[in-house]
C-alpha cells in the first residue's frame, strides 16, 4: 500500500527541522520525521492514536516556533489528515 501522505508529512517535518530556531527543536522535528519515514515503509502503518500524539507534538512546536516552521508543519498536518481519512475507526 502506497503511503505517499506519510512520506509527504516526513518531508514537510524535515523542512520544518531545517528552519527551526534551535538544536533541541531541530532534533525533536527530525525524530518526528524519522517516525513518519518508518511508518511510510512499515507493513502496518500508524493508528489514529499514534497519529493524534504526533499531531499534538507538531502543533505545540508550530505554536512555539511560528513562521516557516509553522507553515511546514501545517503542510505535514494536512498530509497526516489525508492519511487518517483512509483509516478505519474514529
Amino acid at each position: 500500500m502506497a503511503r505517499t501522505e506519510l512520506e509527504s508529512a516526513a518531508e514537510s517535518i524535515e523542512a520544518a527541522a531545517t528552519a527551526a530556531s534551535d538544536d533541541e527543536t531541530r532534533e525533536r522535528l527530525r525524530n518526528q520525521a524519522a517516525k513518519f519515514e518508518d511508518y511510510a515503509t512499515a507493513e502496518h502503518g500508524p493508528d489514529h492514536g499514534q497519529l493524534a500524539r504526533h499531531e499534538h507534538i507538531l502543533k505545540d512546536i508550530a505554536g512555539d516556533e511560528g513562521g516557516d516552521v509553522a507553515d511546514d508543519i501545517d503542510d505535514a498536518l494536512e498530509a497526516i489528515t489525508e492519511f487518517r481519512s483512509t483509516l478505519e475507526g474514529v
Side-chain angles (χ1 to χ4, degrees):
M1 173 175 159
R3 296 197 174 112
T4 56
E5 295 90 357
L6 298 177
E7 292 168 356
S8 178
E11 291 169 5
S12 294
I13 296 167
E14 186 59 42
T18 301
S21 63
D22 62 73
D23 289 338
E24 180 182 342
T25 303
R26 276 190 286 281
E27 184 65 24
R28 287 180 70 199
L29 287 166
R30 287 197 170 112
N31 288 337
Q32 291 294 309
K35 283 300 234 177
F36 279 92
E37 289 170 4
D38 290 345
Y39 292 149
T41 59
E43 184 177 336
H44 298 287
D47 61 27
H48 283 289
Q50 290 169 308
L51 293 171
R53 286 188 291 281
H54 288 293
E55 288 172 328
H56 179 74
I57 292 166
L58 293 171
K59 287 176 184 177
D60 281 349
I61 294 171
D64 291 344
E65 288 286 312
D68 290 338
V69 173
D71 291 343
D72 290 330
I73 289 175
D74 285 344
D75 292 343
L77 292 170
E78 187 175 308
I80 293 166
T81 299
E82 287 180 39
F83 178 77
R84 283 184 84 171
S85 71
T86 67
L87 298 178
E88 292 183 23
V90 182

